[in-house]
Amino acid sequence: MRCEEVHRELGPYLDSELSPDLSFEIGEHIQNCRACSERLHSEKKIEKHLQSVILKEDREDLRIWDNAVEKVTGVGQRFRKLRIGYIAAAAALILAVGFSAWHLALQHHELDLARFVAQGHEDYLENRQKPAVETQDPRELGRYFSERLGFPVGFTREFPRGYTLTGGRTCFLHGVPAAFWMARKGDALLSIFSFARHQLAGFPDAAKRSAAESGRFHCQVGDLEFFALVDGEQVISAIGNLRADELEGVILHLAGK
Amino acid sequence: MEKAHGAKGGGLSAGEKKSFVERMNSVRIPVTNYCRHLLWRRGDLEDALQEILTTAYEKYPQFEPGTSFRAWIFRIATYTVFNINRKYKRESERFVPMESEGPEVHPFIEQELSYQEILKDPDRILAHVGEEILAALSKLSANERAVFLLRGLADLSYREIAGILDMPLGSVMGYLGRARGKLRRSLTDYACQHGMISRMGLV
């Protein structure tokens, strides 16, 4: 085997992708050829350097990744990699969040669903959840959701006058796949989450309320009003800075009730 | 790529959820890097990662134990990023040469004496280059870049890469050779421009 032939196959040889015979032949040549042996050594070094340049541990990218894992699974990631410098700030944050959650749980312990819907709405308010599809057409968005979620998602009617649909995206509510409809009335943002009816079992307290109140129930979460409706095979839950009767009215309207 | 069949991920048991999180932890660095280098726009990274994890979670019940998890997750990542990049297809075509354009670059540019000079003492040049490599990477065609990253970052075999990109094994080898050749040429250009070597050899 000539040196030029060895050079041509060095890439696949380094990747262990050659046939055993060819690989053996090249290995034998390299053992007996100082120039090819040095070339192999240099190519390895260059390839390793190229990989080290493209493989970085970017803290911001990993934060985005951990947030996304947490969002889809409901299992926290970020606490695993905390650096000492952040521990004090994190501890304060945890205490504050813990206190808020405890306070919220005391007030609304019966409505687990409302709590998760409120978290999603807060993400929307703070621009952490953006629409994957921007449209004012609820039918178009309904088709997008139905295709992705695998169950029929949609409303019987258009949004009532004064309300504007801005778009939506799929998301997870405590691990339950859901359609997130983003709408507004004037300056007030309205978040509507619909998910498959059988998934209501994932929110035991809300399931109890639904059974006791014929599939319609509401509560307050802080300053926000929450309302949920079991409509055929889907559950429609909504939250926003609206009056309770307004919120209930718009959901019943959309569901054609 | 097969289409999502509903949202089975929502029904993962606690054990499955734990295994999903552990597997995802094991690939977080290569997958985030892969997406960052493959996306046309850095601003799309957050949406891309969210989409990849959502799809992976939904499809996780379909993942077959005993098969390569890395190949499985990189297939989802590739499909997602290519879909996002499709939005900018026209724009990308303005900046990136078509795959078929120009003469094929020899895998190791061995005809160039200057590259052979680099091979004699690569450390001398490698100590200075970083951004130049990233710039050269961004100029590769979509397939060259994907193949190079799937090999270099994901450590996948040629056969696995061929499966992910739905192309013959020979094409994978061709794209990889061209990508490596172009990246090595960027080293040569840098060394020549900075007077570390002349086009005909060391200064």
Side-chain angles (χ1 to χ4, degrees), chain A residues 7 11 15 17 42-43 45 47 49 54-56 61 65-66 68 72-73 77 80 147-148 175 177, chain B residues 7 10 17 21 25 28 33 36-37 42 45 51 108 110 115 119 123 126 129 151 153 158 180 184:
Chain A
H7 296 171
D15 293 333
E17 291 278 354
S42 295
E43 288 289 1
K45 205 174 259 184
E47 198 62 25
H49 182 80
I54 57 174
L55 189 67
K56 295 282 181 210
D61 289 359
W65 174 268
D66 289 344
V72 298
T73 62
Q77 295 293 298
R80 296 183 183 187
E147 191 182 315
R148 292 187 55 77
Chain B
K17 212 179 254 192
V21 171
N25 277 341
R28 63 207 277 272
N33 275 283
R36 183 154 42 83
H37 292 304
R42 162 96 191 182
L45 183 67
E51 181 85 20
F108 294 103
E110 62 194 7
Y115 182 64
L119 285 172
D123 290 333
L126 295 179
V129 288
R151 176 66 215 146
L153 283 179
Y158 291 1
R180 283 175 166 161
R184 279 157 173 75

Side-chain angles (χ1 to χ4, degrees), chain B residues 74-105:
Chain B
F74 274 96
R75 176 189 290 269
I76 292 174
T78 303
Y79 181 77
T80 304
V81 171
F82 276 16
N83 251 351
I84 291 174
N85 283 348
R86 201 164 290 150
K87 285 191 290 188
Y88 312 117
K89 192 164 183 284
R90 281 185 191 165
E91 189 176 331
S92 67
E93 281 171 353
R94 285 210 299 273
F95 292 102
V96 177
M98 300 291 286
E99 317 271 7
S100 56
E101 268 182 9
E104 186 171 310
V105 179

Side-chain angles (χ1 to χ4, degrees), chain B residues 44-80:
Chain B
D44 286 326
L45 183 67
E46 187 162 0
D47 277 350
L49 297 182
Q50 180 72 50
E51 181 85 20
I52 289 164
L53 284 158
T54 302
T55 307
Y57 191 68
E58 286 171 358
K59 289 176 175 277
Y60 194 58
Q62 297 164 30
F63 170 69
E64 293 174 22
T67 58
S68 166
F69 178 74
R70 275 178 107 76
W72 185 80
I73 189 68
F74 274 96
R75 176 189 290 269
I76 292 174
T78 303
Y79 181 77
T80 304

Side-chain angles (χ1 to χ4, degrees), chain B residues 9 13 42-43 46 52 69 74 101 106 113 118 137 139 145 167 171-172 176 192 196 198 201-202:
Chain B
S13 67
R42 162 96 191 182
E46 187 162 0
I52 289 164
F69 178 74
F74 274 96
E101 268 182 9
H106 190 279
L113 289 173
I118 288 177
L137 181 70
K139 287 176 190 158
R145 200 157 18 138
M167 60 172 65
S171 301
V172 170
L176 186 58
C192 290
M196 299 165 100
S198 72
L202 279 170

Side-chain angles (χ1 to χ4, degrees), chain A residues 20-93:
Chain A
D21 286 351
L22 187 53
S23 188
F24 179 78
E25 209 176 327
I26 289 175
E28 207 167 39
H29 175 98
I30 287 171
Q31 269 190 341
N32 299 312
C33 172
R34 192 173 168 191
C36 285
S37 169
E38 284 176 1
R39 180 160 187 148
L40 177 74
H41 183 68
S42 295
E43 288 289 1
K44 266 187 190 171
K45 205 174 259 184
I46 290 170
E47 198 62 25
K48 199 173 167 191
H49 182 80
L50 294 178
Q51 286 176 10
S52 73
V53 168
I54 57 174
L55 189 67
K56 295 282 181 210
E57 196 167 334
D58 186 301
R59 193 186 297 173
E60 176 58 17
D61 289 359
L62 295 178
R63 184 194 63 76
I64 295 171
W65 174 268
D66 289 344
N67 280 347
V69 170
E70 192 172 337
K71 206 164 270 179
V72 298
T73 62
V75 179
Q77 295 293 298
R78 281 168 288 178
F79 302 107
R80 296 183 183 187
K81 302 275 182 189
L82 282 179
R83 289 168 193 272
I84 291 172
Y86 292 110
I87 287 178
L93 185 66

